[in-house]
């Protein structure tokens, strides 16, 4: 019996040496260790032996069984490791190959300028308010002290949507809407698109304005000048020259346009094409709110005062980036937009 066990051991080990796959391994397991296997067969006859012999043979049989099992496990582990190494080699990724370029968009230059402008004014305590692009005659004109025969109402300036309904020609109607629904003090800015029948290098039928309005009990022209000068210095640098030039708007009195020293030529005596040799560039209209505007919204002009301004965002962007044609801002030409 002992011989028989050793023969099984040698045969099993030799067969395992020649075995190269899972199916073969399973066949060998059944052949030697299975319920009808050779080793099991030998062990079945062990009961007929003397106790002394039985222990000895039992011990050898267990050793053989353990040995064969261990060898099988070792083979399986070895094959798994080899398989893993093979697939790692096959699926190897070259991390040094350059990746696929994914084009990434960016904010439109107008929106970059708008965001910066809003940030400067909100830092000074202004609150952002919005209003409708389609306006009625009353808010766009009448309440702003623009009488029915005012040239600004003429067809060539205004897009009419219907009788008494227009595309707003400025953001000033939001002054009216805000004052109608609230009491002073007020400190608001109103960014938004505005529309005029106009189309050339410096005019687009749709462009962007930012309105400002500050109303309280003691607001004077010095506040207007202080706020607007602070804005210019924050936007274009603290050494940028500022000048207020008398002007006219129906809804402000007195009125002024604000010029800054040309950011292209630095206000040199000789000037440049952008400032047309003047050394100055206009960026906004402003003034003290007209008493008739306060009356229209039910404020008492004896008790409140305020200033307003309207700033061309397109103009600010053109000056900041040296863009010489406003239409570039609205053509969605990627060759242009990618530069920002
Ligand atoms: N609404 C004026 C315009 O569009 C600008 C402006 C606003 C002027 C507020 C004075 C006060 O030209």
């Amino acid at each position: 019996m002992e011989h028989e066990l050793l023969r099984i051991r040698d045969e099993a080990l030799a067969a395992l040496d020649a075995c190269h796959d899972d199916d073969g391994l399973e066949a060998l397991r059944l052949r030697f260790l299975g319920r009808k296997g050779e080793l099991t067969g030998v062990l079945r006859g062990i009961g007929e032996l003397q106790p002394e012999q039985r222990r000895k043979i039992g011990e050898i049989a267990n050793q053989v069984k353990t040995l064969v099992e261990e060898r099988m496990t070792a083979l399986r582990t070895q094959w798994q490791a080899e398989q893993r190494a093979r697939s790692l080699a096959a699926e190897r990724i070259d991390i040094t190959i350059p990746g696929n370029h994914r084009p990434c968009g960016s904010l439109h230059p107008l929106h970059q300028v708008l965001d910066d402008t809003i940030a400067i004014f909100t830092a000074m305590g202004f609150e952002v308010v919005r209003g409708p692009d389609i306006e009625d005659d009353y808010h766009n004109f009448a309440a702003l002290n623009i009488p029915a025969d005012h040239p600004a109402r003429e067809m060539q300036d205004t897009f009419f949507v219907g009788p008494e309904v227009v595309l707003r020609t400025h953001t000033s109607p939001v002054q009216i809407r805000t004052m109608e629904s609230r009491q002073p003090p007020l400190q608001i800015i109103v960014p938004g698109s505005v529309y005029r029948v106009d189309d050339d290098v410096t005019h687009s039928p749709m462009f962007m304005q930012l309105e400002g309005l500050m109303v309280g009990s003691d607001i004077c022209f010095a506040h207007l000048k202080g706020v607007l000068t602070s804005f210019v210095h924050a936007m274009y640098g603290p050494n940028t020259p500022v000048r207020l030039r008398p002007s006219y708007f129906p809804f402000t009195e007195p009125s002024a346009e604000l010029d800054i020293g040309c950011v292209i030529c630095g206000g040199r005596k000789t000037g440049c094409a952008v400032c047309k040799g003047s050394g100055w560039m206009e960026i906004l209209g402003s003034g003290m709110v007209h008493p008739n505007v306060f009356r229209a919204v039910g404020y008492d002009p004896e008790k409140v005062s305020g200033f307003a301004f309207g700033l061309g965002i397109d103009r600010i962007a053109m000056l900041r980036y040296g863009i010489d044609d406003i239409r570039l801002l609205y053509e969605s030409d990627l060759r242009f937009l990618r530069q920002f």
Side-chain angles (χ1 to χ4, degrees):
M1 238 179 182
E2 189 179 338
H3 262 95
E4 179 65 358
L5 283 172
L6 296 181
R7 180 196 62 78
I8 291 175
R9 180 193 69 186
D10 293 343
E11 231 167 79
L13 292 183
L16 284 174
D17 274 347
C19 177
H20 291 293
D21 57 36
D22 287 325
D23 289 347
L25 197 63
E26 178 61 9
L28 292 179
R29 191 187 66 78
L30 289 174
R31 176 175 153 199
F32 292 105
L33 307 178
R35 259 199 296 140
K36 292 176 189 155
E38 293 185 24
L39 191 67
T40 325
V42 176
L43 287 174
R44 211 164 273 142
I46 214 169
E48 288 145 31
L49 297 175
Q50 296 302 312
E52 189 64 11
Q53 276 289 87
R54 201 190 295 164
R55 195 175 315 114
K56 189 173 166 224
I57 296 299
E59 217 169 84
I60 296 173
N62 272 331
Q63 281 168 3
V64 170
K65 188 172 177 227
T66 313
L67 187 68
V68 173
E69 275 173 353
E70 276 173 2
R71 192 52 169 273
M72 287 181 163
T73 313
L75 270 182
R76 240 180 245 117
T77 316
Q78 181 194 332
W79 291 345
Q80 275 166 8
E82 285 169 2
Q83 173 60 36
R84 194 172 151 70
R86 265 197 304 277
S87 55
L88 278 180
E91 293 160 22
R92 200 180 119 85
I93 294 170
D94 182 353
I95 56 167
T96 65
I97 292 177
N100 293 332
H101 177 69
R102 285 178 192 257
C104 179
S106 61
L107 278 184
H108 192 281
L110 273 180
H111 270 273
Q112 295 183 30
V113 168
L114 185 61
D115 286 352
D116 292 350
T117 306
I118 289 174
I120 293 169
F121 282 110
T122 50
M124 288 192 264
F126 284 82
E127 169 198 353
V128 178
V129 168
R130 290 176 197 269
D133 287 30
I134 298 175
E135 260 303 357
D136 51 48
D137 182 279
Y138 177 76
H139 289 92
N140 197 80
F141 297 122
L144 285 163
N145 196 33
I146 304 178
D149 55 358
H150 194 280
R153 287 186 165 217
E154 283 190 9
M155 287 290 285
Q156 67 263 34
D157 290 327
T158 308
F159 286 109
F160 283 86
V161 176
E164 310 275 293
V165 183
V166 302
L167 292 182
R168 65 177 174 194
T169 57
H170 50 183
T171 40
S172 302
V174 190
Q175 287 187 34
I176 303 298
R177 290 189 174 276
T178 308
M179 290 191 283
E180 278 174 341
S181 61
R182 295 207 222 164
Q183 288 304 309
L186 284 177
Q187 204 183 341
I188 59 159
I189 49 173
V190 185
S193 298
V194 300
Y195 309 83
R196 286 181 204 176
V197 184
D198 229 344
D199 198 2
D200 61 37
V201 194
T202 50
H203 296 92
S204 159
M206 179 188 78
F207 58 104
M208 211 181 261
Q209 283 191 338
L210 184 126
E211 190 86 6
L213 175 69
M214 186 164 180
V215 180
S217 48
D218 279 312
I219 306 296
C220 67
F221 203 89
H223 293 115
L224 178 158
K225 186 179 177 187
V227 165
L228 294 179
T229 305
S230 300
F231 163 71
V232 170
H233 288 169
M235 187 62 143
Y236 291 105
N239 298 321
T240 314
V242 177
R243 97 180 163 181
L244 285 159
R245 188 166 32 75
S247 183
Y248 171 78
F249 298 101
F251 34 90
T252 48
E253 179 60 33
S255 304
E257 283 174 319
L258 186 138
D259 297 341
I260 63 172
C262 179
V263 293
I264 308 291
C265 68
R268 267 187 282 108
K269 279 266 155 36
T270 44
C272 69
V274 176
C275 63
K276 301 195 182 79
S278 72
W280 293 96
M281 298 185 306
E282 178 208 325
I283 62 164
L284 61 84
S286 64
M288 302 307 293
V289 179
H290 196 289
N292 285 349
V293 173
F294 283 143
R295 286 189 193 103
V297 297
Y299 285 8
D300 182 351
E302 298 299 325
K303 296 209 176 94
V304 296
S305 57
F307 69 81
F309 60 89
L311 193 121
I313 294 295
D314 307 71
R315 178 65 73 82
I316 305 282
M318 290 169 78
L319 295 182
R320 175 147 127 186
Y321 297 119
I323 299 166
D324 56 7
D325 187 338
I326 191 173
R327 292 170 294 196
L328 288 167
L329 291 171
Y330 295 99
E331 280 169 352
S332 302
D333 185 336
L334 288 179
R335 292 170 302 177
F336 170 75
L337 293 176
R338 283 208 180 101
Q339 300 173 51
F340 301 94

